[in-house]
Amino acid sequence: MLSPSVESQLHKLPWVCEEGAGTPIILQGHIDCGSLLGHRAVYRMCFATAAFFFLFTLFMICVRSSRDPRAAVQNGFWFFKFLILVGITVGAFYIPDGSFSNVWFYFGVVGSFLFILIQLVLLIDFAHSWNQRWLGKAEECDSRAWYAGLFFFTLLFYTLSIAAVTLLFIYYTQPGTCYEGKVFISLNLTLCFCVSTVAVLPKVQDAQPNSGLLQASVITLYTMFVTWLALSSVPDQKCNPHLLTRFSNETILAGPDGYETHWWDAPSIVGLIIFILCTLFIGLRSSDHRQVNSLMQTEECPSTLEVTQQRQVVECQGRAFDNEQDAVTYSYSFFHFCLVLASLHIMMTLTSWYRPGETRKMISTWTAVWVKICASWAGLLLYLWTLVAPLLLPNRDFS
């Protein structure tokens, strides 16, 4: 939708420049209608996917096993489901513009905030599992190579974090101004240092032997990434080199030809890659930890031997293998809800968190900055809770 060839076709739709080809849509007061067709189309595409998954979120509530008739819809009827998705998408493109984009922006802000937290939960779980397995390998093989590997990646992540902080100060702050950016970077750096210190305290190590600097380094690097995302939304050209404006004498024309869009920047590309990886995690992986499975509404997988025996029985009978006759292995409803949030997050990422404003403007706001910064703080607090919870609640099992 953001490609020039697609944007040139979007001009034919009824909600595009309905006030006349000469009426500009302005980004930060500089860019006209032709450059924002893809932006508005992304809003409608993601509205369609979010609406589709939200319908299934409601439809799949309380599906307990594959014996429920609704489970057949979850695992089949693909033609009809794609037909529904296409129908919603086509209908979304005929929604009158009006206040649609402005209202949908705030849905995107809330959904993206929640998805950033889900990404953090998955990263914490991934780092814990990684550290636990490599420590187990080191003990089984009696080899220091596994310890060296953990040390290498921990050092690498902290080095990348320090480099990120340095680059943020260079490119997103200026002497005598950009005080907000300086505070955000310094505060998050301090919080990451505190969290890393807590992770190696003797009492924390006694309560959680698998806790260590690898997890803290992953969280530190991710926090710096979210800080970068926040600073890339600061509505001040002096403090934000990614802010979209007109280039010197360049002219961007409205009309079916000659469209040019400048949405893709480094924060969007990196955010898209992390989004894809975390969405794959949601779709394909069950955690080794009961707490994460409880939060993500999944269950621990049965033993390999049990699954193999069941599979051999049904394969001999020439039938598909169904391991959800007694209970589903994940919450169908919560799975679709995660994809609702993913749709909203990708919408905000592709449009760089720009908000449709009055008089047909597209503006970068402090709302996007504060949402991302608060997400980074909430993530650090969440990780800190995973460290101190065994000390505060000694009677609970946090193994």
Side-chain angles (χ1 to χ4, degrees):
M1 288 299 163
L2 295 174
S3 65
S5 59
V6 175
E7 285 185 336
S8 64
Q9 299 299 317
L10 294 176
H11 185 75
K12 303 174 183 178
L13 296 177
W15 49 266
V16 175
C17 300
E18 60 267 21
E19 297 180 11
T23 302
I25 299 175
I26 305 174
L27 171 66
Q28 296 296 117
H30 297 289
I31 298 181
D32 60 21
C33 174
S35 299
L36 298 187
L37 301 184
H39 177 282
R40 300 162 74 190
V42 167
Y43 266 49
R44 284 162 170 75
M45 285 289 296
C46 292
F47 169 81
T49 54
F52 175 79
F53 288 122
F54 183 71
L55 289 176
F56 274 88
T57 299
L58 299 178
F59 185 68
M60 295 296 170
I61 290 176
C62 296
V63 174
R64 304 299 184 188
S65 70
S66 60
R67 294 187 176 92
D68 192 309
R70 292 175 294 171
V73 179
Q74 168 76 6
N75 299 313
F77 295 93
W78 295 105
F79 172 78
F80 297 101
K81 287 192 286 192
F82 278 113
L83 192 63
I84 293 172
L85 177 58
V86 171
I88 297 176
T89 303
V90 172
F93 276 87
Y94 285 87
I95 299 175
D97 195 38
S99 59
F100 167 78
S101 297
N102 198 14
V103 172
W104 193 237
F105 167 82
Y106 290 102
F107 279 92
V109 166
V110 175
S112 189
F113 173 82
L114 296 176
F115 192 80
I116 290 174
L117 295 184
I118 289 178
Q119 286 185 148
L120 188 75
V121 170
L122 296 173
L123 284 174
I124 293 174
D125 178 50
F126 169 74
H128 272 290
S129 299
W130 182 6
N131 188 71
Q132 184 175 350
R133 288 174 182 174
W134 280 30
L135 288 177
K137 291 286 186 180
E139 294 177 359
E140 292 176 7
C141 303
D142 193 21
S143 172
R144 294 186 177 180
W146 296 101
Y147 292 113
L150 289 174
F151 175 78
F152 170 78
F153 282 104
T154 300
L155 182 62
L156 174 65
F157 293 149
Y158 275 124
T159 302
L160 291 175
S161 300
I162 295 173
V165 170
T166 304
L167 293 175
L168 290 178
F169 271 114
I170 292 175
Y171 290 103
Y172 291 90
T173 63
Q174 297 292 334
T177 185
C178 306
Y179 298 110
E180 297 88 352
K182 294 175 183 177
V183 171
F184 291 151
I185 299 170
S186 302
L187 182 58
N188 279 1
L189 178 62
T190 303
L191 293 175
C192 289
F193 176 80
C194 295
V195 166
S196 299
T197 303
V198 172
V200 295
L201 290 177
K203 290 187 177 181
V204 174
Q205 290 287 304
D206 292 338
Q208 292 198 80
N210 291 322
S211 174
L213 288 178
L214 177 65
Q215 299 94 311
S217 66
V218 171
I219 301 308
T220 298
L221 183 59
Y222 184 73
T223 300
M224 291 300 107
F225 165 70
V226 177
T227 306
W228 180 32
L229 290 182
L231 296 179
S232 68
S233 296
V234 171
D236 186 344
Q237 186 67 34
K238 294 180 181 180
C239 308
N240 181 9
H242 293 290
L243 193 65
L244 299 183
T245 59
R246 181 201 289 263
F247 293 95
S248 60
N249 297 324
E250 180 182 358
T251 301
I252 303 176
L253 301 175
D257 301 309
Y259 295 102
E260 185 169 357
T261 305
H262 304 283
W263 299 112
W264 285 102
D265 53 17
S268 298
I269 294 173
V270 177
L272 181 62
I273 294 173
I274 295 178
F275 158 81
I276 293 174
L277 294 177
C278 289
T279 305
L280 288 175
F281 256 70
I282 293 174
L284 302 178
R285 185 177 183 274
S286 290
S287 174
D288 297 328
H289 299 91
R290 290 196 302 271
Q291 289 77 16
V292 177
N293 284 323
S294 176
L295 178 64
M296 301 301 294
Q297 299 293 300
T298 57
E299 296 181 0
E300 293 183 27
C301 296
S303 65
T304 304
L305 179 60
E306 179 183 348
V307 172
T308 303
Q309 291 174 345
Q310 294 177 356
R311 192 185 302 271
Q312 289 174 347
V313 171
V314 296
E315 285 179 352
C316 291
Q317 298 174 356
R319 294 184 291 108
F321 177 65
D322 182 5
N323 64 339
E324 295 184 317
Q325 289 184 350
D326 297 325
V328 294
T329 57
Y330 65 99
S331 170
Y332 292 168
S333 181
F334 188 77
F335 172 73
H336 288 291
F337 179 69
C338 286
L339 294 182
V340 171
L341 301 182
S343 299
L344 296 173
H345 180 71
I346 196 65
M347 179 183 77
M348 302 305 293
T349 300
L350 291 176
T351 58
S352 299
W353 291 70
Y354 283 89
R355 180 179 67 84
E358 299 77 11
T359 64
R360 307 186 66 75
K361 291 183 179 181
M362 298 300 297
I363 55 179
S364 180
T365 68
W366 282 102
T367 301
V369 178
W370 280 106
V371 166
K372 297 173 189 178
I373 288 295
C374 290
S376 69
W377 294 341
L380 287 171
L381 290 175
L382 179 62
Y383 176 60
L384 183 63
W385 169 252
T386 66
L387 295 176
V388 302
L391 300 177
L392 300 178
L393 302 171
N395 296 326
R396 295 285 300 274
D397 181 14
F398 289 93
S399 59

Coordinates of all heavy atoms in Angstrom, one line a residue, residues 109 112-113 116 188 223 225-234 267 345 348-349 352-354 366-378:
V109 N -2.8 3.2 19.0 CA -1.9 3.5 20.0 C -2.0 2.5 21.2 O -1.0 2.0 21.7 CB -2.1 5.0 20.5 CG1 -1.4 5.2 21.9 CG2 -1.6 6.0 19.5
S112 N -0.9 -1.1 20.1 CA 0.5 -1.2 19.9 C 1.2 -1.2 21.2 O 2.2 -1.9 21.4 CB 1.0 0.0 19.0 OG 2.4 -0.2 18.7
F113 N 0.7 -0.4 22.2 CA 1.3 -0.4 23.6 C 1.2 -1.8 24.2 O 2.2 -2.3 24.7 CB 0.6 0.6 24.4 CG 1.0 0.6 25.9 CD1 2.1 1.2 26.3 CD2 0.2 -0.1 26.8 CE1 2.5 1.2 27.7 CE2 0.6 -0.2 28.1 CZ 1.7 0.5 28.6
I116 N 3.7 -4.2 22.4 CA 5.1 -4.0 22.8 C 5.3 -4.8 24.1 O 6.4 -5.4 24.3 CB 5.4 -2.5 23.0 CG1 5.4 -1.8 21.6 CG2 6.7 -2.3 23.7 CD1 5.6 -0.3 21.7
N188 N 16.3 5.8 31.2 CA 16.2 4.4 30.8 C 17.6 3.7 31.0 O 17.6 2.5 31.3 CB 15.8 4.3 29.3 CG 14.3 4.4 29.2 OD1 13.6 4.5 30.2 ND2 13.7 4.2 28.0
T223 N 15.0 -2.3 25.6 CA 14.7 -1.0 26.1 C 15.3 0.1 25.3 O 14.6 1.1 25.0 CB 15.1 -0.9 27.6 OG1 14.4 -2.0 28.3 CG2 14.7 0.4 28.2
F225 N 16.0 -0.1 22.2 CA 15.3 -0.1 21.0 C 14.0 0.7 21.1 O 13.7 1.5 20.2 CB 15.1 -1.5 20.5 CG 14.0 -1.6 19.4 CD1 14.3 -1.1 18.1 CD2 12.8 -2.2 19.7 CE1 13.3 -1.2 17.1 CE2 11.8 -2.3 18.7 CZ 12.1 -1.8 17.4
V226 N 13.2 0.4 22.2 CA 12.0 1.1 22.4 C 12.2 2.6 22.6 O 11.4 3.5 22.1 CB 11.2 0.5 23.5 CG1 9.9 1.3 23.8 CG2 10.8 -0.9 23.2
T227 N 13.3 3.0 23.3 CA 13.7 4.4 23.4 C 13.9 5.0 22.1 O 13.5 6.2 21.9 CB 14.9 4.5 24.4 OG1 14.7 3.8 25.6 CG2 15.2 6.0 24.7
W228 N 14.6 4.3 21.2 CA 14.9 4.8 19.9 C 13.6 5.0 19.1 O 13.4 6.1 18.5 CB 15.7 3.8 19.1 CG 16.1 4.1 17.7 CD1 16.3 5.4 17.2 CD2 16.3 3.2 16.7 NE1 16.6 5.3 15.9 CE2 16.6 4.0 15.5 CE3 16.3 1.8 16.6 CZ2 16.9 3.4 14.3 CZ3 16.6 1.2 15.3 CH2 16.9 2.0 14.2
L229 N 12.6 4.1 19.3 CA 11.3 4.3 18.6 C 10.6 5.5 19.1 O 10.0 6.3 18.4 CB 10.4 3.1 18.9 CG 10.8 1.7 18.2 CD1 9.8 0.7 18.6 CD2 10.9 1.9 16.7
A230 N 10.7 5.7 20.5 CA 10.1 6.9 21.1 C 10.7 8.2 20.5 O 10.0 9.1 20.1 CB 10.2 6.8 22.6
L231 N 12.0 8.3 20.5 CA 12.7 9.5 20.1 C 12.4 9.8 18.6 O 12.5 10.9 18.1 CB 14.2 9.4 20.3 CG 14.6 9.3 21.8 CD1 16.1 9.2 22.0 CD2 14.0 10.5 22.6
S232 N 12.2 8.7 17.8 CA 11.9 8.9 16.4 C 10.5 9.5 16.1 O 10.2 9.8 15.0 CB 12.1 7.5 15.6 OG 11.1 6.6 16.0
S233 N 9.7 9.6 17.2 CA 8.4 10.2 17.1 C 8.3 11.6 17.6 O 7.3 12.2 17.6 CB 7.4 9.3 17.7 OG 7.2 8.1 17.1
V234 N 9.4 12.1 18.2 CA 9.5 13.5 18.7 C 9.1 14.5 17.7 O 9.8 14.5 16.6 CB 10.8 13.8 19.4 CG1 10.9 15.2 19.8 CG2 11.1 12.9 20.6
P267 N 14.0 3.0 12.2 CA 13.2 2.4 13.3 C 12.0 1.6 12.8 O 11.7 0.6 13.4 CB 12.7 3.7 14.0 CG 13.7 4.8 13.6 CD 14.1 4.4 12.2
H345 N -0.4 -2.9 15.9 CA 1.1 -2.5 16.0 C 1.7 -2.3 14.6 O 2.5 -1.4 14.4 CB 1.8 -3.6 16.8 CG 3.3 -3.3 17.0 ND1 3.7 -2.3 17.8 CD2 4.4 -3.9 16.4 CE1 5.0 -2.3 17.8 NE2 5.4 -3.2 16.9
M348 N 0.7 1.0 13.2 CA 1.5 2.1 13.7 C 2.9 2.2 13.3 O 3.5 3.2 13.0 CB 1.4 2.1 15.3 CG 0.0 2.1 15.8 SD -1.0 3.5 15.3 CE -0.1 4.9 16.0
T349 N 3.5 1.0 13.1 CA 4.9 0.9 12.7 C 5.0 1.4 11.2 O 5.9 2.1 10.9 CB 5.4 -0.6 12.8 OG1 5.3 -1.0 14.1 CG2 6.8 -0.7 12.3
S352 N 4.7 5.1 10.9 CA 5.6 5.8 11.8 C 4.9 6.6 12.9 O 5.4 7.6 13.3 CB 6.5 6.8 10.9 OG 7.2 6.1 10.0
W353 N 3.7 6.1 13.3 CA 3.0 6.7 14.4 C 2.5 8.1 14.2 O 2.3 8.9 15.1 CB 3.8 6.7 15.7 CG 4.0 5.3 16.3 CD1 4.8 4.3 15.7 CD2 3.5 4.7 17.5 NE1 4.8 3.2 16.5 CE2 4.0 3.4 17.6 CE3 2.6 5.2 18.4 CZ2 3.6 2.6 18.6 CZ3 2.3 4.4 19.5 CH2 2.8 3.1 19.6
Y354 N 2.4 8.5 12.9 CA 1.9 9.8 12.6 C 0.4 9.9 12.7 O -0.3 8.9 12.3 CB 2.2 10.3 11.1 CG 3.7 10.7 11.0 CD1 4.7 9.8 10.7 CD2 4.0 12.0 11.2 CE1 6.0 10.2 10.7 CE2 5.3 12.4 11.1 CZ 6.3 11.5 10.8 OH 7.6 11.9 10.8
W366 N 3.4 14.1 20.7 CA 4.0 13.6 21.9 C 3.3 12.4 22.5 O 3.8 11.6 23.3 CB 4.0 14.7 23.0 CG 5.1 15.7 22.7 CD1 5.0 16.9 22.2 CD2 6.5 15.5 23.0 NE1 6.3 17.5 22.1 CE2 7.2 16.6 22.6 CE3 7.3 14.4 23.5 CZ2 8.6 16.8 22.7 CZ3 8.6 14.5 23.6 CH2 9.3 15.7 23.2
T367 N 2.0 12.1 22.0 CA 1.3 10.9 22.5 C 2.1 9.7 22.1 O 2.2 8.8 23.0 CB -0.1 10.9 21.8 OG1 -0.8 12.1 22.1 CG2 -0.8 9.6 22.2
A368 N 2.6 9.6 20.9 CA 3.3 8.4 20.5 C 4.6 8.3 21.3 O 5.0 7.2 21.7 CB 3.7 8.5 19.0
V369 N 5.3 9.4 21.6 CA 6.5 9.4 22.4 C 6.2 8.8 23.8 O 6.9 7.9 24.2 CB 7.1 10.8 22.5 CG1 8.4 10.8 23.3 CG2 7.4 11.3 21.1
W370 N 5.2 9.3 24.4 CA 4.9 8.9 25.8 C 4.5 7.5 25.9 O 4.8 6.7 26.8 CB 3.9 9.9 26.4 CG 4.6 11.1 26.9 CD1 4.5 12.4 26.4 CD2 5.4 11.3 28.1 NE1 5.2 13.3 27.1 CE2 5.8 12.6 28.1 CE3 5.9 10.4 29.0 CZ2 6.6 13.1 29.1 CZ3 6.7 10.9 30.0 CH2 7.1 12.2 30.1
V371 N 3.7 7.0 24.9 CA 3.2 5.6 24.9 C 4.4 4.7 24.8 O 4.5 3.7 25.5 CB 2.3 5.4 23.7 CG1 2.1 3.9 23.4 CG2 0.9 6.1 23.9
K372 N 5.4 5.0 23.9 CA 6.6 4.1 23.8 C 7.4 4.2 25.0 O 8.0 3.1 25.5 CB 7.3 4.5 22.6 CG 6.6 4.3 21.3 CD 7.3 4.9 20.1 CE 6.5 4.9 18.8 NZ 7.2 5.5 17.7
I373 N 7.6 5.4 25.6 CA 8.5 5.5 26.8 C 7.8 4.7 28.0 O 8.5 4.0 28.7 CB 8.7 7.0 27.1 CG1 9.7 7.6 26.1 CG2 9.3 7.1 28.5 CD1 11.1 7.0 26.2
C374 N 6.5 4.9 28.1 CA 5.8 4.2 29.2 C 5.9 2.7 29.0 O 5.9 1.9 29.9 CB 4.3 4.7 29.2 SG 4.2 6.4 29.9
A375 N 5.8 2.3 27.7 CA 6.0 0.8 27.4 C 7.3 0.3 27.9 O 7.5 -0.8 28.4 CB 5.7 0.6 26.0
S376 N 8.4 1.1 27.6 CA 9.7 0.7 28.1 C 9.8 0.6 29.6 O 10.4 -0.3 30.1 CB 10.8 1.7 27.5 OG 10.7 2.9 28.1
W377 N 9.2 1.6 30.3 CA 9.2 1.5 31.8 C 8.4 0.4 32.3 O 8.8 -0.3 33.2 CB 8.6 2.8 32.3 CG 9.5 4.1 32.0 CD1 10.8 4.0 31.7 CD2 9.1 5.4 32.0 NE1 11.2 5.3 31.5 CE2 10.2 6.2 31.7 CE3 7.9 6.1 32.3 CZ2 10.2 7.6 31.6 CZ3 7.8 7.5 32.2 CH2 8.9 8.2 31.9
A378 N 7.2 0.1 31.7 CA 6.4 -1.0 32.1 C 7.1 -2.3 31.9 O 7.1 -3.3 32.7 CB 5.1 -1.0 31.3

